[in-house]
Amino acid sequence: MGTSPEPGRRESDAPADPVERARAICLRMLTGTPRTRGQLEEALRRREIPEDAAAAVLDRFEEVGLIDDAAFAAAWVDSRHHGRGLAGRALARELRQRGVAAPVVAEAVAGLDPEREEETARALVERKLRATRGLERDRRLRRLAGMLARKGYPEGLALRVVREALEREGEEIEEWELPPSGG
C-alpha cells in the first residue's frame, strides 16, 4: 500500500508523478497568497518531492511569472512598512526568513525612502507617546526607542526621533545615548 492521499482526496486522485505532485502543491499554495521560491522549495522538501522535480516545476513557474521574488519583496516592503511601520532592517530580516535571495532583498529595501522611513518613525512615536506620560523621562526614552528598535529602526534615528518628540512635550533631554536598561 502506498502513502495516504491528502485529507479530503481519494487515493486515485493523488498524482503519482513527482512533477505533477510538485505542480499541484505549488498551485495550491499560490492560490490566494503570493509565495517566494524559497517558501515553495521548503514545502516541496517537506513533502519529499525529489529535488529535480521540484526544480523543474519551480523554474517553469518562474518563467511564466507565477513566482516572482522581486515583485514579492517589493510588495512586502511596501505593505509591511505602511501597515506595521517596519524599517528596512526588520523588513530585510523577514524577507530572508521567507527565502528571498540577498540581492533581491537589498534591492527591495533600497526602495524605501529614508525621509519616509523617518516620518513613519515619528508617527509611531506620536502614537505611543501618550501611553508613556507620567513615567520618568529615562523610562519613556527607553520604551519609545525600544519600540522603534524592535521595528528595525537604527539606534541613531530612533534616539533622535524620540528626543525630538519628548522635547516638543517640554522634556529636557541632555543625552543622546539610551540610558541603561532597568525598567
Side-chain angles (χ1 to χ4, degrees), residues 81 113-126 153 157 161:
H81 180 70
D113 176 24
E115 289 178 17
R116 190 161 151 219
E117 198 170 25
E118 190 168 327
E119 287 173 24
T120 302
R122 279 194 175 91
L124 288 166
V125 167
E126 288 301 321
Y153 289 89
L157 172 66
V161 167

Side-chain angles (χ1 to χ4, degrees), residues 53-68:
V57 169
L58 294 172
D59 289 346
R60 180 65 182 144
F61 276 33
E62 278 184 335
E63 285 174 28
V64 299
L66 290 174
I67 303 172
D68 185 344

Side-chain angles (χ1 to χ4, degrees), residues 72 76 80 84 86 88-100 105:
F72 177 94
W76 186 267
R80 302 286 281 178
R84 302 261 327 267
L86 298 181
R89 190 170 43 202
L91 293 165
R93 182 180 57 249
E94 288 185 348
L95 288 169
R96 284 190 304 271
Q97 288 172 340
R98 282 158 182 76
V100 178
V105 170

